[in-house]
């Protein structure tokens, strides 16, 4: 396993590695209005000219006061973990539920945060009426294309001017660089990718539009497939403006190679880059050595972002182990976020803080 040792500045570490979180209502206020507060990730990121974000579980946001305060205090960008996905916003054909997404946008506006939209076109978490219709043949290819266009246009228009970046097309390649055999590819062919970007751009010309996937941190077959796709689409005038790297890592598999080089080649295409869903899981139980390694992985991705002019956004996929998705998907693994189940700050939190303090 490859370890990356990063120097930590003692004084700032002492501030950042304090266990627990403050509970005053003022903690939710934008950092710019509270210069006397101890440095938070949000304050440090703003000095580094970076958006530091988190995915937000809207049910938890409404129920857990500590979670809500930390979300407002520590981050200047938020992403909907689930409430902007198709199965949530249109559970029944023609009947929409925007309540969760609207609440997140309102929450962000009140706290001076930007919003990343996630996600418009994906093979997963589709509404049952759509998948069933495609499967039984009651929804043909022509109708499916119209349904997809309506979905993209309706959602992007609803939040026009209030979403900074959209993950337009999510997880369209397999590990070997071949296109994923989704219902979109099966019924519409590969042209659905360009179509989705054109529809989203027409609905909100100012939002930055991203491709997004996992296992594309470094240079490999999958990330190269995205590079070639983006190069071709941009040459055709398709508004593909960003490449989103999810950043779901696991310490048992080692740190990916050529991360900086991967960001650089997309930058040379004139694209923005972003880390969009970062977490670093481990085989449980956690111990001091595993947590130290985890900290270097978070820092390694952050440093790559800070070292790239094109990378202006770094989002973690949840910030507390209490609500992490990892244990429910990867049996025997977890402890993947910046803070523990008690919201105590782990070495990874300190490492991210030190990286932000170092700046670009």
């Amino acid at each position: 396993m490859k370890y990356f040792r990063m120097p930590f500045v003692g004084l700032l570490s002492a501030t950042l590695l304090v266990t627990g979180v403050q509970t005053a209502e003022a903690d939710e206020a934008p950092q710019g209005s509270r210069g006397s507060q101890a440095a938070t990730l949000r304050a440090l990121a703003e000095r580094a000219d970076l958006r530091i974000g988190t995915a937000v579980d809207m049910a938890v946001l409404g129920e857990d006061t500590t979670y809500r305060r930390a979300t407002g205090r520590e981050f200047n960008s938020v992403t909907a973990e689930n409430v902007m996905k198709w199965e949530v916003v249109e559970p029944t054909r023609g009947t929409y539920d925007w309540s969760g997404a609207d609440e997140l946008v309102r929450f962000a506006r009140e706290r001076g945060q930007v919003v990343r939209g996630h996600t418009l076109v994906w093979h997963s978490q589709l509404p049952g009426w759509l998948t069933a219709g495609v499967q039984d043949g009651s929804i043909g290819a022509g109708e499916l294309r119209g349904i997809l266009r309506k979905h993209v246009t309706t959602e992007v228009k609803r939040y026009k001017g209030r979403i900074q970046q959209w993950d337009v097309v999510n997880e369209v390649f397999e590990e070997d660089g071949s296109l994923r055999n989704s219902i979109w590819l099966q019924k519409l062919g590969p042209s659905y990718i360009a179509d989705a970007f054109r529809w989203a751009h027409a609905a909100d010309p100012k939002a930055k539009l991203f491709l997004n996937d996992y296992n594309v941190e470094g240079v490999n077959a999958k990330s190269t497939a995205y590079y070639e796709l983006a190069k071709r689409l941009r040459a055709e005038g398709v508004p593909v403006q960003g490449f989103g790297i999810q950043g779901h890592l696991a310490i048992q598999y080692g740190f990916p190679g050529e991360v900086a080089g991967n960001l650089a080649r997309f930058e040379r295409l004139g694209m923005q880059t972003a880390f969009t869903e970062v977490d670093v899981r481990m085989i449980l139980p956690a111990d001091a050595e595993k947590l130290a390694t985890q900290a270097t992985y978070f820092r390694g991705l952050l440093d790559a972002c800070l070292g790239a002019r094109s990378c202006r956004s770094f989002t973690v996929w949840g910030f507390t182990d209490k609500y992490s998705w990892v244990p429910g998907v990867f049996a025997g693994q977890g402890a993947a976020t910046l803070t523990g189940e008690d919201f105590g700050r782990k070495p990874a939190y300190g490492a991210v803080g030190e990286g932000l303090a170092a700046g670009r």
Side-chain angles (χ1 to χ4, degrees), residues 171-285:
E171 300 176 6
V172 298
F173 283 108
E174 302 286 0
E175 299 306 303
D176 64 0
S178 61
L179 283 169
R180 183 184 293 275
N181 191 30
S182 66
I183 64 169
W184 310 116
L185 185 65
Q186 292 170 17
K187 302 300 181 182
L188 305 180
S191 63
Y192 80 89
I193 297 172
D195 287 340
F197 276 93
R198 291 187 176 107
W199 297 332
H201 183 67
D204 186 354
K206 292 186 178 181
K208 297 300 181 182
L209 308 181
F210 278 67
L211 296 158
N212 191 56
D213 213 324
Y214 61 91
N215 288 350
V216 292
E217 294 79 19
V219 175
N220 56 37
K222 193 175 188 180
S223 63
T224 297
Y226 274 105
Y227 173 79
E228 296 297 339
L229 173 67
K231 183 178 180 180
R232 176 176 60 80
L233 291 179
R234 287 176 61 83
E236 295 171 359
V238 179
V240 180
Q241 299 154 338
F243 182 54
I245 298 169
Q246 292 182 13
H248 295 295
L249 302 184
I251 64 171
Q252 61 268 29
Y253 300 130
F255 191 84
E258 299 183 86
V259 178
N262 192 33
L263 294 176
R265 61 177 175 168
F266 284 94
E267 184 174 306
R268 287 194 293 270
L269 291 181
M271 296 174 66
Q272 292 188 10
T273 55
F275 288 91
T276 59
E277 304 182 21
V278 179
D279 52 27
V280 182
R281 65 186 186 273
M282 63 190 67
I283 297 172
L284 298 173

Side-chain angles (χ1 to χ4, degrees), residues 52-72:
I52 184 79
T54 183
V56 179
D57 182 324
M58 292 307 295
V60 175
L61 192 75
E63 297 170 357
D64 189 324
T65 303
T66 302
Y67 178 92
R68 185 180 183 91
R69 287 169 175 160
T71 301

Side-chain angles (χ1 to χ4, degrees), residues 7-17 354:
F8 292 163
V9 180
L11 180 60
L12 185 57
S13 292
T15 300
L16 293 170
L17 293 175
E354 294 290 346

Side-chain angles (χ1 to χ4, degrees), residues 50-53 275 278 298 301-302 305 312-316 352:
L50 184 75
R51 294 294 184 180
I52 184 79
F275 288 91
V278 179
F298 271 101
L301 294 184
L302 177 63
C305 180
R312 296 290 174 176
S313 180
F314 187 92
T315 297
V316 295
V352 170

Side-chain angles (χ1 to χ4, degrees), residues 124-191:
S124 185
Q125 291 186 249
L126 296 170
W129 61 265
L130 176 61
T131 55
V134 172
Q135 186 174 14
D136 67 21
S138 61
I139 296 177
E143 185 178 7
L144 182 63
R145 186 175 185 275
I147 289 170
L148 182 60
R149 180 173 187 168
K150 181 180 179 183
H151 167 68
V152 171
T153 302
T154 299
E155 185 155 8
V156 176
K157 274 189 174 180
R158 182 174 185 87
Y159 299 108
K160 182 178 181 179
R162 294 182 287 172
I163 299 287
Q164 185 185 61
Q165 302 174 351
W166 272 109
D167 291 331
V168 176
V169 177
N170 193 49
E171 300 176 6
V172 298
F173 283 108
E174 302 286 0
E175 299 306 303
D176 64 0
S178 61
L179 283 169
R180 183 184 293 275
N181 191 30
S182 66
I183 64 169
W184 310 116
L185 185 65
Q186 292 170 17
K187 302 300 181 182
L188 305 180
S191 63

Side-chain angles (χ1 to χ4, degrees), residues 73-95:
R73 182 182 65 248
E74 296 286 346
F75 304 99
N76 56 20
S77 175
V78 290
T79 301
E81 188 168 358
N82 286 300
V83 297
M84 290 186 178
K85 292 173 181 173
W86 200 339
E87 70 173 2
V88 175
V89 300
E90 194 181 4
T92 303
R93 187 171 184 178
T95 301

